[in-house]
Each structure stands twice: as C-alpha cells, then as structure tokens.
Amino acid sequence: MTLLVEWIKAALLEVQEYFIMVGKTARAAVTRPFYVRDIVEQFEIIGIGSLTVVLLTGMFTGMVLALQSGFTLDQFGARSMVGRLVSASMVKELGPVLTALMVAGRVGSGIAAELGSMMVTDQIAALRALGTDPIRKLVLPRILAGLVMVPLLTCVSVAVGLVGGWITTETQLKVASGVYWNSVVMGLYMQDVWMGLIKPFFLGFAIVSIGCHVGLRTSGGTQGVGRATTNAVVASSVAVLVVNFLVTKLLIVLMY
Amino acid sequence: MAVQREARSALLDEALGPGGPIVVFDKVSLAFDEKTILNEISFTLKTGHTKIFLGASGAGKSTILRLILGLLKPDAGMIFVNGDRIDDMTEDQMMHVRGDLGMVFQEGALFDSLTVRENVGYKLFEESKVPFADANHRVEEVLGFVGLAEFIDRQPSELSGGQRRRVAIARAMAAKPRILLYDEPTTGLDPITAITIDEEIMKLRDLEGVSSIVVTHQLRDAFYVAEHSAVQDGDRIRFDRATPDKADEAEFIMLRDGRIAFEGNATELREVAARDRYIDAFLS
C-alpha cells in the first residue's frame, strides 16, 4: 500500500512538474529574450533531420496500404476504389500517427539524451549561473520546432504515402493512374484534411514537451541519461496514441 | 532578463568596498527530504577576501555555492549577495544578481556543443549588450590570462582536464564578476596542474580584487591558496608567501553534520587540529 501511495505521489509530482514547465514555456513564448539562432537550429534538427525517416515511413506505408487493401477490395470487385482507402487512411490516421511515432523515436529520445546529459554534467546549472533561463534557451526552441515541423513532416509523409500507393496500384494492382488519383480525391472530405492537419500540432507538442521534461528531470549520471532516453521514447510514443485518440474524438464532435 | 553587472549606488559601493560584507549567510538551513544538509549556517565573506570550505563528501559544501547562485532556495535563514537579499528572490530577479557572480563548476561544465571561444564569451555574446568585437577581445584577454589563448577555437572535448578547468575559470571571469565561486576546482587533477589552477584563483583574487569562495577537499591546494599571494612583478607574476595580514584574508570553514565545526585562518586551523581529533583526521 505504501509503495502504491509513493508511486502515485511520484507520478503526480511528475505531472505537476510537466505542467509547470509547459506554463513557463508559454510565458517564455510571449516575453523577451528570444534565442532566435537556437530556434532556427532546432527547426533544422527536428524538421530537416527527420525528413529521411519520415519519407521512408510514408512511402512504404502508402505502398503496403495499397497492396493490402487492393487484395481485400478484389473480393468485392472494387479494386478501383483503392485510392479512397489509401487517401482516407493516410490523411486521417496513418500519416499523422506514424510520422509522430517516427519523430518520437528520433527526436524525443535525442532531446531527452541531450538535455539529460546537460543536467548530469551541470551544464544546465552553468546556463542558469551565466544568466540564461534553460526554458527559453533549450525548451522553447524545441517546442516551437515540434509545433511547426511535425505538421509539415506529416504533410510530406502523406504526400509521399499517396505516391507510394500510386506506384503499387499502378505496378502491382494494374489500376490506371487516372482511376487511382480520381479515387484519392473522391475519398477525401475537407473535414478529413483538417483533421490530418490539426492533429500533428498536438502530437508534435506532446513529443517534444515530454522529451524536454524527461531530459530536464534526469539525475543519476550516465545511467540516468540512458533511463531518461528510454522513458522519453516510451512516454512520448504512448502519448502520441492517447493524444491522437482524444484529439480525433474532439474533432469528430466538432467537425462531423 | 539578460545578465548585466549593474552599477551599485555610491552608498552601497562604499558599504561593500574592501572589507565590506559581500556575501552574508544568516542562520541558513536546508534539508532534502529527511536529511539535514545545512543547519543554521552563518558566515560573512568580505570583499576581496577568500573563504575556503572544507568537509567530508555530502557535508553541504557545494550546496552553499548553489544557494549563493540561487540554484537552490534555503528552508530558513537569510542570504545576502552584493547587498541584495536573495533567498526570497524569483528566478527572474536572480538573473540580475548572477550578473555579478561567476561559478567554476566541478569538472568545468563547459558546453559541449560550443567552442572554447563561445564557452568563454557565452555571457557576453548571449546575455549582454556588449558589442561583438569588444566581447571577442575580452574572450581573448581572459584566455590569455589563463594561458590558453591558442586553444580558442578548439572544442571542449579536445582539452585535457586541467585545460577544461582553466577554460571554466576564464568563462566565469569573462564578465568581470565581483564574486567567484569555485566548486572542487582541482579535484581529479595531477598536482602540477592543480597548482596552475590555484595560481589562477590567486591571480584573480590578488590582482583583480575578486572575492572568492572555494569549496574543496584538496587540503594542499586549500593551504597553498590561503598562504600565498600573487604579485605583479613587471610583466611577470610571482607567487610569494602571503604576509600575515594577507593570510588572514583567507578563512577556512569546516562543515560537519550540517554545522560549522571550525572557522578561522590557516594557522588557527592547524592549532585546532592539534586538539580536535576530527579536524586532525581530516587534515592528516
């Protein structure tokens, strides 16, 4: 019982610290000073740096989606409708979620490891001693980059996924290009597009803010950094799935 | 928000001039969970003087430095730095106080991703309105002061342990703070390198008038810093045995179980060691 109480207290403390960090970041976003160079640098690291993995993920997801749904649709003689399935799945769910999971693996772990190493080697304390607020210098640039770049990466991933689906449909399923692309457009409604565009903002924020929080709470030397990295990936991946469900539910209520 | 050394009023400047109380601890207590780290600690660091904190690991020596920097807040008691009461200050308010503080962290705590130049000039480049050329000149000047001018464009990972500490000292002194805090500056270094670090501490104290707090358990270095002084001799700097008055400006504080077990100069510490088994064991 005592163990359970201790665990709950520790969990609540983590949640409290997380929201304090988010609050401080929100304040830092609207007050000076801004570290513009760090912001630009993080846009490049999080955005450009994740491009390859997101391109590959999007492409192969679109390809396998077309392949699987093509064979299923064949049972109903509806192979020509494959574009609808690919576009609806990629735009609404797979694009945002898989992109976010890839970014969580690559960026979330990187942020936790970097900030964690800075914590255990006193670099964060040194920053504060030199008069820099670590939230402004380290957290805000990363969160801004997550908010902007994850939606952009999602758009790229979806576009590449649709192209991947087209390649498979054309070469494996022998469906004409015009039929595929017409089906892609027919399968999409504006609400779907909005959903695909809005969700990545929440997912990007969740991934990066969790990475920063876990990194800044690191203790226990190099072993602690390893633990923090693992925790960041696990927590942000689970958060992606939970936030995705909650935001999807909310958007369905609001838009459909 | 940006760190800048603020001009003090004439009255405060006079009060905190040579011999004035630049750092004051008044019955400061701090506990982590159930463990008492500091129990009603009081001391005064006078301007231009040195306090050397000794004590076993976990005795709270480094905690005192973090309290002065505002990285930790005490549970009770008052802390004054440069005439400001800092124990109840917010993080934003502390930024101004930190403008006049320099800290040399254990192991240096240099920023891995920045060059030596960027590390040393960090405060000037990022947190002050000093023109770039002036900041750069100051960086070259302080790196020359610690004898590492030729390492200016290296990465911290390319430096030895001793060089990293000297860069850390250069970084701490770049913005010309009135108070420098050293956390185990010579731990893990060979004796020859440790002496070069001690001499940097003495140079800053005796030639630049910086008030210092040194936390260490390297007794040889502690006594060397306390009983010697840096003297400018033309272009050269000599390190002579300190005069009795000068030696009195360096005081030892030994912490034990969260309390001050001894406070006094080097001679008094040796005398007390003859009577106190704990201090004797620590010194021998």
Side-chain angles (χ1 to χ4, degrees):
Chain A
M1 190 62 189
T2 319
L3 271 177
L4 182 68
V5 172
E6 288 299 315
W7 185 86
I8 291 170
K9 275 164 75 177
L12 286 176
L13 180 68
E14 285 299 320
V15 173
Q16 174 188 305
E17 292 294 323
Y18 172 77
F19 281 107
I20 288 173
M21 186 202 77
V22 170
K24 284 180 178 172
T25 310
R27 189 172 158 267
V30 292
T31 52
R32 288 176 179 280
F34 299 110
Y35 295 91
V36 178
R37 206 178 57 183
D38 295 272
I39 294 171
V40 174
E41 196 176 275
Q42 288 307 318
F43 271 58
E44 191 195 336
I45 293 171
I46 293 178
I48 310 296
S50 306
L51 202 54
T52 313
V53 69
V54 165
L55 281 173
L56 288 169
T57 309
M59 171 69 80
F60 285 102
T61 306
M63 288 170 85
V64 79
L65 202 57
L67 206 55
Q68 291 282 18
S69 48
F71 285 113
T72 308
L73 287 169
D74 256 356
Q75 295 170 13
F76 308 100
R79 184 183 282 193
S80 59
M81 309 290 274
V82 70
R84 280 181 178 238
L85 272 176
V86 173
S87 65
S89 311
M90 282 303 293
V91 170
K92 285 202 290 186
E93 282 303 325
L94 291 178
V97 172
L98 288 180
T99 304
L101 286 174
M102 287 296 130
V103 174
R106 188 187 165 276
V107 174
S109 60
I111 290 173
E114 187 184 1
L115 300 193
S117 304
M118 289 182 78
M119 274 302 285
V120 300
T121 55
D122 267 342
Q123 290 179 55
I124 301 281
L127 264 184
R128 290 174 67 197
L130 288 163
T132 298
D133 181 353
I135 297 286
R136 292 174 188 277
K137 173 91 176 161
L138 302 172
V139 178
L140 180 64
R142 284 165 175 78
I143 288 187
L144 287 179
L147 278 171
V148 174
M149 298 316 280
V150 172
L152 287 177
L153 287 168
T154 303
C155 291
V156 172
S157 170
V158 170
V160 172
L162 293 178
V163 171
W166 167 62
I167 293 169
T168 308
T169 310
E170 174 94 18
T171 57
Q172 303 292 308
L173 305 176
K174 308 298 179 195
V175 173
S177 295
V179 174
Y180 172 80
W181 286 113
N182 188 47
S183 174
V184 163
V185 175
M186 294 299 287
L188 282 180
Y189 295 92
M190 269 319 286
Q191 291 97 320
D192 301 337
V193 178
W194 280 118
M195 184 177 277
L197 285 174
I198 291 169
K199 282 203 291 190
F201 284 98
F202 291 91
L203 303 180
F205 176 80
I207 294 163
V208 179
S209 58
I210 288 172
C212 290
H213 168 72
V214 174
L216 290 177
R217 299 273 295 161
T218 304
S219 59
T222 47
Q223 212 177 18
V225 176
R227 240 186 347 257
T229 311
T230 310
N231 289 346
V233 175
V234 172
S236 53
S237 301
V238 173
V240 163
L241 300 173
V242 173
V243 170
N244 177 55
F245 169 76
L246 296 175
V247 176
T248 303
K249 177 69 189 161
L250 181 72
L251 292 176
I252 286 173
V253 171
L254 292 176
M255 296 197 307
Y256 287 84
Chain B
M1 188 69 186
V3 161
Q4 276 172 21
R5 179 170 147 167
E6 290 188 344
R8 295 191 299 216
S9 69
L11 199 65
L12 192 59
D13 223 19
E14 188 186 343
L16 298 178
I22 199 159
V23 175
V24 178
F25 267 51
D26 184 22
K27 293 186 176 175
V28 171
S29 298
L30 179 69
F32 293 136
D33 297 324
E34 303 298 305
K35 191 174 187 303
T36 301
I37 306 296
L38 301 176
N39 190 357
E40 298 200 340
I41 296 288
S42 301
F43 69 87
T44 302
L45 171 69
K46 294 177 182 171
T47 301
H49 289 205
T50 305
K51 285 273 181 209
I52 300 169
F53 280 84
L54 302 173
S57 298
K61 307 187 296 293
S62 300
T63 305
I64 285 176
L65 300 187
R66 283 166 192 267
L67 285 167
I68 295 171
L69 274 169
L71 301 179
L72 292 172
K73 295 286 175 200
D75 296 333
M78 293 186 286
I79 302 171
F80 295 87
V81 175
N82 245 333
D84 293 319
R85 184 176 171 186
I86 64 150
D87 53 275
D88 54 0
M89 277 189 177
T90 64
E91 182 75 4
D92 279 357
Q93 290 169 324
M94 273 311 297
M95 292 298 178
H96 297 288
V97 177
R98 289 171 190 156
D100 216 0
L101 290 167
M103 169 91 172
V104 179
F105 285 86
Q106 214 171 345
E107 312 289 341
L110 300 180
F111 305 127
D112 299 328
S113 55
L114 305 182
T115 62
V116 168
R117 182 197 303 273
E118 291 164 335
N119 262 288
V120 172
Y122 181 86
K123 206 167 184 172
L124 302 171
F125 294 140
E126 296 273 349
E127 303 293 348
S128 78
K129 294 187 174 77
V130 177
F132 179 79
D134 293 351
N136 210 29
H137 180 257
R138 175 67 182 157
V139 170
E140 288 166 2
E141 187 180 68
V142 289
L143 276 172
F145 187 84
V146 297
L148 290 175
E150 68 272 31
F151 294 86
I152 193 161
D153 289 318
R154 299 264 184 99
Q155 290 291 327
S157 56
E158 298 173 70
L159 305 178
S160 68
Q163 288 166 340
R164 288 171 71 91
R165 306 284 172 94
R166 279 150 71 193
V167 171
I169 291 174
R171 181 175 70 178
M173 66 182 278
K176 298 185 179 175
R178 293 186 181 96
I179 306 161
L180 269 173
L181 313 171
Y182 303 89
D183 190 2
E184 308 270 11
T186 56
T187 300
L189 300 180
D190 64 86
I192 304 295
T193 311
I195 282 178
T196 65
I197 302 293
D198 297 338
E199 289 175 348
E200 300 305 338
I201 296 171
M202 288 190 280
K203 277 158 63 181
L204 283 166
R205 180 191 63 194
D206 301 328
L207 306 180
E208 306 274 322
V210 174
S211 314
S212 347
I213 296 185
V214 183
V215 158
T216 186
H217 51 233
Q218 306 288 313
L219 290 167
R220 209 188 66 146
D221 299 315
F223 280 105
Y224 186 64
V225 168
E227 295 181 324
H228 289 77
S229 64
V231 180
Q232 187 79 48
D233 183 8
D235 287 344
R236 287 180 57 249
I237 295 167
R238 287 197 330 266
F239 297 95
D240 294 345
R241 192 150 188 93
T243 60
D245 283 351
K246 185 72 189 167
D248 279 347
E249 292 181 4
E251 274 197 325
F252 288 82
I253 290 183
M254 179 165 282
L255 295 176
R256 183 184 180 188
D257 299 330
R259 289 184 178 274
I260 293 178
F262 168 82
E263 185 171 8
N265 64 24
T267 313
E268 290 164 345
L269 181 60
R270 287 198 180 90
E271 286 169 7
V272 170
R275 303 190 302 271
D276 188 308
R277 286 176 63 189
Y278 178 81
I279 295 176
D280 185 44
F282 201 88
L283 295 191
S284 54

